[in-house]
Every structure is written in structure tokens, then in C-alpha cells.
Amino acid sequence: MGFARTCSVALVGVEGVVVEVQAGLEPGVAAFTLVGLPDKSLIESRERVRAAVVNSGTEWPQKKLTVGLSPASVPKGGSGFDLAVACAVLGAAERLDPRELTDLMMIGELGLDGRVRPVRGVLPAVLAAADAGYRQVVVPEQTVAEASLVPGVSVLGVRTLRQLIAVLADEPVPDEEDPRDEGRPDPSLAGLVVPGTGVGAGLPPGDHTPDLADVAGQHGARRALEVAAAGRHHIFFKGPPGAGKTMLAERLPGLLPPLSPKESLEVTAVHSVAGTLPPGQPLVHRPPYCAPHHSATMASLVGGGTGLPRPGAVSLAHHGVLFLDEAAECSPRVLDALRQPLESGRVVVARAAGMMRMPARILLALAANPCPCGRHGTAGGGCECRPSSIRRYRARLSGPLMDRVDLRIAVEPVARAELIALARGAESTAAVAARVQTARERAAARFAGTPWHTNSEVPGHELRTRWQVHPGALAQAERDLECGLLTARGLDRVLRVAWTAADLAGRDRPAREDVNWALELRTGVRRGALTAAGGGGDHHETATARPPQKQR
């Protein structure tokens, strides 16, 4: 009886599970049995593997063949096991040395002609292999760059099964034609994209980034946007149609610093599994931006689907921005599903087929009109909505959800003078992003040696005990807490925003003005006129517009 084994990886969400692929040959009627909880696409690999082996010039064993995928209790799906199954069968048939296969990790789909086609999720699969101690990985040639992002792993890219057989058997490696060399499209790249998602969905465009200088007026909202980017605080824009809410939110990703190497790997892994990673872009360097339509379902937003769940928009926006325009038009049930991810930074979706845990540390931006017609509260707006209709419309954004939003900005219509003066003194995205980067560096230095990197991540207990504000700075916040205008969670979030305001102003710790400004943004209650903080020609004195001036 011939026996051989090699390894592959089963993906559950964005986490990989090492799977041992075993092949056994025994005398009997020729048959091919695949066991180990495979799904439909994996069961069909029997025909793909058989045809690929024969068309690669190798004889198919005419014996009873059993291929087992262990552990058998883990659901397995997809076509990425084809390469490992083919090599295990050839090792059991003694066409390959079984000892050469034991320590190899193989990932790839096989075409009927023996070509090795790329599959989604190569990066998280190789990460799982590296964590399990494997140091040699075989992947399709098109995904070598993605697999090579994992340090300490030797990656072999192959174009066909015949090439891999030659490498493992120590034979001359044949030359295989590459359709790209002849100017033809490569149809195998279609396996990297999930139908209906679109290439690059959730990723920022590489050719053009919206500039903050395009936004006329809105000095308070611009400054709040800067604070949101510096501290990764959730933000809510409320105002009439055409005031600039969407323009502001679309420019938020450009203010965020580039992703760190660890964050880049996490974001790339999510997009690789989701099938939205563009071919030729093995690593995502910029924060993602995802703006689903307000009719998005629960599964599309937080993850789900038939069988094993798939990443949703909240995971595609990991370490980036999730923008929900027309938030009051979204299903309240869908919106409330964001409450847990906003606190924990991850999504755990349980289904009958299994449980999936995906990262979801996002910066949430919401935008909504004040009423169904959008004209309530505007000068000369002529709102005709009934009071009960306005209450129902606003109640679609639940209190527990809004309690997790740090910044709440009223976006007013732009005045004619501000619109005409757009070209004079409006700060660009690059100028604001530089201040955001400086504030992030101040926070990172303060949190050195801790698991936190931005102010929004620090637990409230640590803020109140480990990093103290100026004496008496919390007087107004404590009064708001006593009268019920502020919750305990709200007080912690006010402290976080105050620390971000202090970082942007260059202060060592928040003063009374920082805390009161943060209170204004959260409660909407004016605390008196505050002076604008530093830099740029578009700053004006506004009560709810910006953090106070740096103390001298």
C-alpha cells in the first residue's frame, strides 16, 4: 500500500487552519474517494486533479485511492487544496518521493491542462503556515509577491504541475508559456476576485485622492475631521442636503497616516480573502475606505452569507474609514449591529457551519439629514415634516449607537462669501495630514510600552488614573455626568477627544478648554466661545468649531 502526505491551509474567515492532506493507495477497483468534510467545490477537485495529472504527462494510478483531509472536523472549501492533493497522490504512487512532501505547504488550484491557478487568501494562509512552523511554501506564480510578504518563509512559485513535479523529482524544469509574455490576458487571474465585489472594492483609489482644499467653509467640521483622524474618533455629520457632509467624509482617509507594516499585513489579508485585492498589488499601504449603500444588509455590513461567513464592509474598512452616508435611511437593526465591533475592534459571526472572527478596528463616519425632507432647522428651509415624523427619523440612529460616537458636528449650508473665497486660504489635505501625523507621534510616545497607539483605544480607567488632566479641567464634565447629560462611557470618550485636542495643540495634557470643547462636540451644548487652534488660513472663532488655542 502506497502512502504520502503533505499540507495545505483551510481558511475560516481570515484565520488559517493547517490541514494535512493524506493519500493512500491499495489494491482494488480503481476509485477516488475524498474525505474530511469537503464542500462542493472541493469534492469536484477529484476530476480536476485527475485530468491535471494525466495532461502533465504522468500516469494516473489505477488503484483504490483515498484522500483524507485532517483534521476532519474542520469545514474545508475552495479549490486551493488541488495542488496538495495532486502531489500527495503522486507521492503515494511513488512518482514523487514522499519524504520530499512532508514538510511542504502547498496552495493552489489546478486547471484541467495542469496549469496552477491562483486562489484568494494566500497571505493569511501563508501566515498560518509560518505560525505552525512551516518554512517552505508552494504557491501559484501570480501570488508569489503576496506570499513573500511573510518573513522567514521560502516561497516557490510554479506555473504548472509539470514544473512542480520536475522540481520535486530533481529533473530539468520545463519552460511553460506565459500568456502575459505574448500580450494575451491571463484568465487565471479571475480566481482572485469574488464575482460582484469588483477589484479594489474598499481600497482607496491610487490615482486621485480628494483634497480637503476643495471644501468651502465648514471650519468647524474641518477641524473636527482633523481631530477624528488624529485620535481615530468616530464622527457624525448632521446637516441639510448639499452642505458638504459627503465631501468631508470622503476626504477623511487622506488625513490618516500610512499603515504600519503590521497593519498593512492585516488589511491585505482581509482583502485577499474577500477577493478585492487588485492583481499586482500584493500589499495595501494606505488606509482603506468603504462606503456601502444605505440599503446594505446585515451580512454585507458585518459579514455573513451562506455556509461559512465572509468578511463584510466593517472588516474591509479595517484600520481605515467606514462611511455610512444617509445613515438614517439604513436599517436600524443593521446599524445596531455595529455597536459591538465599535467597542471590541473585531467581528465574531457564528453560523451552523462554523464561527468566524474577523478584525474590524475602524473609524466610523456617519452622515444624515436633520429630517426626511432635509430642511428642518435651516434658515428659510420651509420644512413640512411633522414633528412625529422628525422624531421617528432621528430615532433610527439609536442612543446606544450614538453613545459610541465621539464627535457630532452640525454642518450648515455654505455662505456665498465662503464659496467665492474658496481659493484663498483653504488648507490642503497634505497640510492637515502633517499635523495629524505629529499628533499621532505624540500619542505613540505617550503610550510607549502599552498595547495602545491612539487615544480612542485607551480604556477609560487608564485615562482617569494613569494620565491626569489639568486640575479642575473635568468640572463641567462631572456636572454633566451628574445631571444625566453624559454617560460614564461618554465621559471616557470626552477625555479621549480632549487628549487628542491637546496633542494637536502641542500640550502635555488637556486643559479645561480642551475638555469643554470635547463636551460641546459630544452634547451639542455650547460652553462659550472658544478660540481656534493653530495653522492655516481658514480658521475662525467658533464655539463648536475647534479646539482651543495653545497655552503659552
Side-chain angles (χ1 to χ4, degrees):
M1 177 178 176
F3 177 81
R5 62 181 180 181
T6 187
C7 289
S8 190
V9 176
L11 291 177
V12 181
V14 294
E15 298 178 353
V17 178
V18 174
V19 174
E20 188 177 55
V21 181
Q22 305 171 341
L25 285 173
E26 55 183 315
V29 178
F32 189 172
T33 304
L34 183 63
V35 297
L37 210 58
D39 70 350
K40 179 66 175 178
S41 60
L42 186 50
I43 290 176
E44 292 176 349
S45 69
R46 297 177 300 182
E47 308 305 325
R48 292 194 300 269
V49 169
R50 181 187 289 109
V53 169
V54 172
N55 291 327
S56 298
T58 302
E59 183 180 355
W60 182 260
Q62 298 300 318
K63 294 182 180 180
K64 183 180 178 181
L65 171 63
T66 303
V67 173
L69 307 176
S70 179
S73 58
V74 176
K76 305 167 190 70
S79 55
F81 294 90
D82 290 1
L83 199 59
V85 171
C87 289
V89 171
L90 295 177
E94 298 183 352
R95 173 64 178 86
L96 298 175
D97 187 353
R99 293 172 297 181
E100 297 291 334
L101 305 175
T102 303
D103 297 328
L104 280 181
M105 179 68 63
M106 301 186 184
I107 305 164
E109 176 186 333
L110 286 175
L112 300 183
D113 56 356
R115 286 183 300 171
V116 181
R117 302 170 63 93
V119 294
R120 301 186 303 273
V122 167
L123 177 59
V126 177
L127 285 171
D131 292 341
Y134 290 87
R135 294 295 175 261
Q136 292 181 308
V137 179
V138 180
V139 299
E141 187 180 53
Q142 296 91 332
T143 57
V144 169
E146 183 180 345
S148 300
L149 297 173
V150 182
V153 176
S154 175
V155 179
L156 172 63
V158 294
R159 191 174 300 168
T160 63
L161 178 61
R162 188 169 60 161
Q163 284 185 335
L164 180 57
I165 292 174
V167 170
L168 295 177
D170 199 16
E171 299 173 354
V173 179
D175 292 330
E176 302 288 355
E177 64 175 2
D178 188 349
R180 294 172 295 179
D181 296 339
E182 302 177 4
R184 293 180 294 162
D186 188 357
S188 65
L189 295 178
L192 297 176
V193 181
V194 175
T197 59
V199 177
L203 296 178
D207 53 348
H208 174 69
T209 300
D211 200 324
L212 196 59
D214 300 336
V215 180
Q218 304 301 354
H219 310 291
R222 289 168 59 96
R223 191 60 180 176
L225 203 69
E226 180 178 343
V227 172
R232 196 181 283 170
H233 303 288
H234 307 310
I235 188 168
F236 170 56
F237 299 105
K238 183 179 72 173
K245 303 185 296 296
T246 302
M247 285 188 66
L248 288 162
E250 288 176 344
R251 283 147 181 80
L252 182 54
L255 303 181
L256 300 178
L259 299 176
S260 66
K262 180 181 178 181
E263 292 172 343
S264 293
L265 286 178
E266 294 178 3
V267 173
T268 303
V270 173
H271 285 267
S272 178
V273 170
T276 59
L277 192 65
Q281 184 179 339
L283 186 65
V284 179
H285 296 281
R286 299 168 58 193
Y289 172 74
C290 197
H293 192 260
H294 61 259
S295 62
T297 62
M298 177 84 72
S300 67
L301 192 62
V302 301
T306 58
L308 285 177
R310 301 190 58 80
V314 70
S315 295
L316 294 178
H318 181 53
H319 287 311
V321 177
L322 175 64
F323 175 46
L324 298 181
D325 202 0
E326 305 294 346
E329 300 292 343
C330 297
S331 167
R333 179 171 171 267
V334 173
L335 288 176
D336 285 339
L338 295 175
R339 286 152 53 177
Q340 182 180 357
L342 291 180
E343 286 292 319
S344 63
R346 62 180 181 272
V347 173
V348 180
V349 182
R351 295 290 185 270
M355 181 178 293
M356 175 185 64
R357 182 182 292 104
M358 293 177 295
R361 190 165 296 281
I362 61 171
L363 196 167
L364 177 65
L366 301 170
N369 296 328
C371 66
C373 75
R375 298 190 297 271
H376 179 74
T378 59
C383 175
E384 299 178 354
C385 300
R386 296 180 178 179
S388 58
S389 177
I390 296 176
R391 286 195 299 269
R392 285 195 301 269
Y393 189 79
R394 294 179 177 178
R396 297 176 71 89
L397 300 176
S398 68
L401 174 65
M402 295 306 298
D403 197 41
R404 292 165 168 83
V405 177
D406 301 339
L407 310 174
R408 307 171 189 178
I409 311 301
V411 183
E412 301 296 338
V414 181
R416 182 179 64 88
E418 292 177 324
L419 192 60
I420 295 175
L422 174 60
R424 300 196 302 269
E427 280 192 302
S428 65
T429 294
V432 179
R435 291 201 299 269
V436 170
Q437 179 66 37
T438 302
R440 286 280 187 105
E441 291 171 356
R442 290 180 62 88
R446 183 168 63 250
F447 300 141
T450 70
W452 314 299
H453 302 88
T454 59
N455 291 315
S456 63
E457 303 173 17
V458 185
H461 174 74
E462 297 289 338
L463 283 176
R464 293 189 299 270
T465 58
R466 187 170 178 178
W467 291 286
Q468 296 287 336
V469 301
H470 276 287
L474 290 176
Q476 184 62 54
E478 292 171 352
R479 287 194 293 268
D480 287 353
L481 183 65
E482 289 178 358
C483 68
L485 190 60
L486 200 66
T487 64
R489 181 194 287 123
L491 176 61
D492 292 342
R493 292 186 175 274
V494 165
L495 279 174
R496 293 166 184 158
V497 174
W499 272 103
T500 302
D503 289 336
L504 284 168
R507 282 189 281 271
D508 292 334
R509 54 179 176 169
R512 182 191 298 268
E513 305 93 286
D514 299 310
V515 177
N516 289 348
W517 178 79
L519 279 171
E520 284 191 13
L521 290 181
R522 182 167 185 86
T523 63
V525 179
R526 297 175 66 88
R527 311 290 171 174
L530 298 178
T531 309
D538 62 333
H539 295 299
H540 297 272
E541 292 187 1
T542 309
T544 59
R546 55 193 69 257
Q549 179 144 7
K550 178 180 178 180
Q551 294 177 341
R552 296 181 179 179

